[in-house]
Amino acid sequence: MERQSGSAPLRLAALLLTFALSVLPLVARAEVALVMVEEHGCAWCARWNKEIGPIYPKTPEGQAAPLRREMIGAPPHDIEFSRGLHFTPTFVLVEDGKELGRIEGYPGEDFFWGLLKEMMERNGVALATGTPDETG
């Protein structure tokens, strides 16, 4: 069998290029999350949990900004909030630990989705394409 000179380095280069092209976009992507600030006994938090909680991760919004839950009395130290947290639930859109915007209170299912989508669009958070059935 005749050995082709230079084919191994070419295969290695192709492999490294493929790896770089698949991994680098993930490394460069900003970390976006929707932080739900809640407290025990909050009726509006319970309502959100019932109406939105089960489907949120399956939606384009949930794919773009995964939910992170925090308690109001113990705000996380890795997030830079633009102002204090006084109401529950409060939904804070964060990117790389910095607040982009917030929804204070839960205005009901219909208003919540519109407010969230508008806040994401205003802050350049790209939504996943497709319906919840396609992404989940």
Side-chain angles (χ1 to χ4, degrees):
M1 183 159 102
E2 189 176 305
R3 186 172 181 170
Q4 296 177 347
S5 65
S7 66
L10 286 176
R11 277 187 267 151
L12 179 60
L15 181 64
L16 289 174
L17 180 61
T18 302
F19 176 77
L21 291 175
S22 63
V23 171
L24 288 179
L26 297 175
V27 173
R29 180 183 294 175
E31 186 177 326
V32 178
L34 182 66
V35 178
M36 179 180 179
V37 180
E38 56 190 322
E39 66 182 323
H40 297 292
C42 169
W44 292 103
C45 299
R47 185 172 168 195
W48 188 92
N49 286 328
K50 180 182 177 190
E51 295 175 357
I52 307 290
I55 62 170
Y56 181 79
K58 301 174 187 177
T59 65
E61 292 84 357
Q63 296 290 311
L67 186 67
R68 175 177 165 180
R69 294 173 178 269
E70 298 290 342
M71 299 305 285
I72 195 164
H77 299 289
D78 63 333
I79 297 175
E80 210 176 289
F81 294 103
S82 63
R83 60 185 192 277
L85 300 163
H86 304 289
F87 305 101
T88 58
T90 295
F91 301 91
V92 183
L93 185 64
V94 297
E95 181 177 39
D96 293 334
K98 294 186 180 169
E99 179 174 340
L100 299 176
R102 66 173 65 188
I103 301 169
E104 292 179 316
Y106 174 58
E109 185 174 2
D110 294 333
F111 288 105
F112 175 80
W113 290 116
L115 291 170
L116 180 60
K117 185 174 182 181
E118 190 272 328
M119 180 171 60
M120 290 176 144
E121 288 174 351
R122 184 177 61 240
N123 289 288
V125 176
L127 297 180
T129 57
T131 64
D133 292 335
E134 292 171 340
T135 59

